[in-house]
Amino acid sequence: MRIGVDVGGTNTDAVLLNGKRIVSSTKAATTVDVTTGIVQAIREVLRKATLLPGDVKSVMIGTTHFTNAFVEGKRLLEVGIIRIAAPATLSLLPLIGWPKELGNAIGRHVYLVPGGYDYDGREIAAFDEAAVREAVLDIRRKGLRAVAITSVFSSVNADMETAAAAIVGELMPEAHVTLSHEIGRVGLLERENAAIMNAALSDLSSQVIKSFRKALSDLGVHAAFFISQNDGTLMAADVVERFPVLTIASGPTNSMRGAAFLTEKTDAIIVDIGGTTADVGALTNGFPRESSVAVNIGGVRTNFRMPDILAIGVGGGSIIREAGPENRRTSIGGRVTIGPDSVGYELTEKALVFGGTSLTLTDIAVAAGVISIGEPAKVAHLDKAFVADALEEMHCRLDDAIDRMKTSFESVPVILVGGGSALVKRALAGASEMVVPENAGVANAIGAAIAQVSGELDRVYNFDTCARDVALSDARDIAFARAREAGARDNIRVLDVEEVPLAYLPGGAVRIRVKVVGDLPVELGA
């Protein structure tokens, strides 16, 4: 028995699985403090299944705690930022390109010290232990509790980052330390940004994991629990405490994995329509297609593994308005705007059909007879032409999103999931078939429940000094070790291998990325 929970901006969904069989599920409004909603959802699926908490072997949670905290700039620690790179990289300082308010929340405590490596592992400059000590002592004097350490090409050689971390451990043993090579990929600024983000969230991650443990204990669920990360796989709770940033964007990936599970399709376009947004992504070999470009989170460029997701402001709680003359188009539906703002988890209070005053996409669907919830009489006054235009506008925006996510002109299967999937009532352009599986409304929670554990390596090797087969074997070994560290024990296999020759570097420089996935131990799984 395993429980999967996914927290969205509008709803918190939970499912109870016995092996691959869905025993019970629930969908409830997300609570302000999030944790309360998770507890309520778990309690409800247990009640429906008439099971005791002790019957549960594992719990998987997808949470928005860390995404919301970073985007909103709240509950973040100030971070001491150490870059081991001088004399290189001095022209572009840490936090460059960050939104002003977010940079101020992090604090601009920047220390540039000598060191770093070239792509082939040769030193740019020697590691300056005295300079690092001086930086750490100043960080301690400022009373900071989080440190982010980055070195040039640390993904090739992490020795200098590790040495700096040892100094922090000696002088500030209680500090949260993030090393960039453990999170980001090749690319200094984006990897540094990811490390800074992670360090800023480190205090919150400890609090969140502690609250989850207490909540499960209070429920009588004494099972191992895992947190969904943004590539559609899981991390053990203690790993999340170290790397909270890797949970950002886990919601859409859970939905995509759940869609694959429910339909047994491995390649398709997934459209997950929730209460606030519609997330459109591509499923490849049963896993979300990863973004190949730097991903912007809250205005900050990062390069850790993220799904290739297009989010549009179309959801059940999206607010509907008549477009002003300056925004009207000649196409059908052009006189209506949808979102991007939404009533979110307050849908049952603010939508017209529930006695509220906000016109939402749910109200439009009720008025059109697409769905039947609330009190239809409260939207009977809506102009039928306006209602039809609003629905067509929604379909047109979904058509466009699918077209943007496809990699060829050919039609592809489209799987609709999420609580808002019932809103779609016509064929979408570019879809060879449209599938709305049973339990589509809780696909995200199912995706969390059936997720595997992953490990990844992204590193530059020099084939002039390291034979290709040796480099690939080394990369696989490290990826396997990282998967085991994250909790994988059974059936660990290679999911993806990429080799990219770096033509702009001298010699035989090749960037190798290996991703592996594995199952949880049987006693923790089904």
Side-chain angles (χ1 to χ4, degrees):
M1 295 286 183
R2 63 171 72 185
I3 290 177
V5 182
D6 189 88
V7 183
T10 303
N11 294 308
T12 295
D13 301 334
V15 296
L16 175 66
L17 267 64
N18 182 357
K20 294 186 177 182
R21 182 174 64 86
I22 299 170
V23 178
S24 63
S25 64
T26 188
K27 179 182 288 288
T30 295
T31 55
V32 176
D33 68 347
V34 179
T35 303
T36 299
I38 291 174
V39 170
Q40 293 172 349
I42 293 175
R43 182 179 288 118
E44 180 63 12
V45 292
L46 288 173
R47 186 195 65 79
K48 286 184 175 181
T50 62
L51 284 175
L52 297 174
D55 294 329
V56 178
K57 298 299 182 183
S58 55
V59 178
M60 291 76 171
I61 301 174
T63 176
T64 59
H65 277 88
F66 308 119
T67 308
N68 296 344
F70 187 78
V71 171
E72 295 171 7
K74 298 177 180 178
R75 303 178 69 185
L76 303 179
L77 288 179
E78 292 194 26
V79 180
I81 303 166
I82 300 175
R83 183 194 288 179
I84 308 170
T89 80
L90 297 180
S91 59
L92 296 174
L93 299 180
L95 298 177
I96 187 169
W98 282 53
K100 183 179 178 180
E101 296 78 10
L102 199 52
N104 291 340
I106 298 294
R108 302 183 183 275
H109 311 289
V110 173
Y111 304 87
L112 302 179
V113 300
Y117 297 95
D118 208 338
Y119 79 97
D120 57 1
R122 291 177 297 174
E123 286 188 357
I124 293 175
F127 180 73
D128 190 333
E129 181 178 341
V132 174
R133 283 185 174 274
E134 183 179 344
V136 176
L137 288 172
D138 192 55
I139 291 171
R140 188 174 70 180
R141 280 192 293 270
K142 291 179 177 179
L144 305 183
R145 295 186 292 116
V147 181
I149 301 173
T150 307
S151 176
V152 178
F153 276 112
S154 61
S155 53
V156 175
N157 189 334
D159 288 350
M160 291 189 186
E161 285 191 4
T162 304
I167 295 173
V168 176
E170 174 191 341
L171 301 177
M172 299 176 60
E174 301 302 318
H176 302 284
V177 181
T178 298
L179 306 183
S180 75
H181 75 274
E182 295 182 317
I183 295 178
R185 297 173 171 174
V186 174
L188 175 68
L189 293 178
E190 292 83 3
R191 176 163 42 85
E192 180 177 66
N193 288 345
I196 296 169
M197 290 169 59
N198 191 77
L201 291 165
S202 54
D203 199 34
L204 177 62
S205 69
S206 297
Q207 296 171 22
V208 168
I209 297 304
K210 182 179 179 180
S211 69
F212 283 173
R213 285 196 175 102
K214 184 180 185 304
L216 292 174
S217 177
D218 291 346
L219 282 168
V221 178
H222 301 290
F225 81 94
F226 299 83
I227 306 294
S228 300
Q229 60 178 326
N230 43 32
D231 65 352
T233 60
L234 299 169
M235 290 189 294
D238 58 341
V239 178
V240 177
E241 288 192 71
R242 293 172 52 207
F243 305 122
V245 77
L246 295 182
T247 69
I248 290 177
S250 62
T253 58
N254 283 340
S255 295
M256 296 175 72
R257 289 281 289 147
F261 174 83
L262 291 171
T263 63
E264 298 185 346
K265 291 185 180 294
T266 57
D267 296 274
I269 295 291
I270 311 299
V271 180
D272 176 20
I273 307 176
T276 305
T277 62
D279 298 319
V280 184
L283 199 65
T284 304
N285 295 325
F287 280 84
R289 183 176 69 202
E290 289 191 11
S291 175
S292 58
V293 297
V295 176
N296 187 301
I297 302 171
V300 178
R301 284 170 57 88
T302 66
N303 67 352
F304 54 85
R305 54 183 181 269
M306 289 284 285
D308 186 8
I309 297 291
L310 174 61
I312 59 176
V314 174
S318 295
I319 294 177
I320 306 297
R321 300 180 179 89
E322 184 171 359
E326 69 281 2
N327 295 325
R328 289 180 180 168
R329 304 190 303 273
T330 56
S331 63
I332 293 177
R335 69 188 182 105
V336 178
T337 64
I338 301 176
D341 49 340
S342 168
V343 297
Y345 61 82
E346 296 179 306
L347 177 68
T348 55
E349 300 172 14
K350 294 188 174 182
L352 296 182
V353 292
F354 294 111
T357 58
S358 299
L359 176 60
T360 68
L361 190 55
T362 295
D363 296 316
I364 293 294
V366 172
V370 172
I371 57 176
S372 178
I373 58 174
E375 299 182 47
K378 292 185 180 295
V379 292
H381 66 282
L382 295 178
D383 179 71
K384 288 183 171 52
F386 182 84
V387 169
D389 279 0
L391 280 180
E392 185 59 22
E393 177 70 13
M394 177 198 72
H395 285 91
C396 287
R397 292 190 62 184
L398 293 176
D399 289 341
D400 179 66
I402 291 171
D403 186 60
R404 291 171 63 182
M405 292 304 295
K406 289 167 53 181
T407 56
S408 75
F409 68 90
E410 295 180 358
S411 297
V412 295
V414 172
I415 305 172
L416 296 170
V417 295
S421 57
L423 301 176
V424 179
K425 289 303 177 184
R426 71 154 169 82
L428 297 174
S432 60
E433 61 174 318
M434 287 176 52
V435 182
V436 182
E438 187 180 0
N439 295 301
V442 290
N444 48 1
I446 293 170
I450 57 94
Q452 295 172 293
V453 181
S454 71
E456 184 184 43
L457 177 77
D458 188 350
R459 177 175 294 182
V460 176
Y461 289 86
N462 188 342
F463 282 4
D464 286 348
T465 58
C466 179
R468 176 177 178 273
D469 58 342
V470 174
L472 287 171
S473 177
D474 180 67
R476 288 193 186 96
D477 288 345
I478 295 174
F480 270 72
R482 291 181 177 178
R484 293 189 189 96
E485 180 185 6
R489 294 293 181 272
D490 303 320
N491 192 30
I492 303 177
R493 61 185 176 87
V494 176
L495 180 68
D496 190 28
V497 178
E498 285 184 7
E499 291 181 66
V500 182
L502 303 181
Y504 55 88
L505 293 178
V510 177
R511 179 179 178 181
I512 295 179
R513 187 180 72 85
V514 177
K515 181 175 180 178
V516 305
V517 295
D519 296 331
L520 295 171
V522 172
E523 63 271 16
L524 296 180

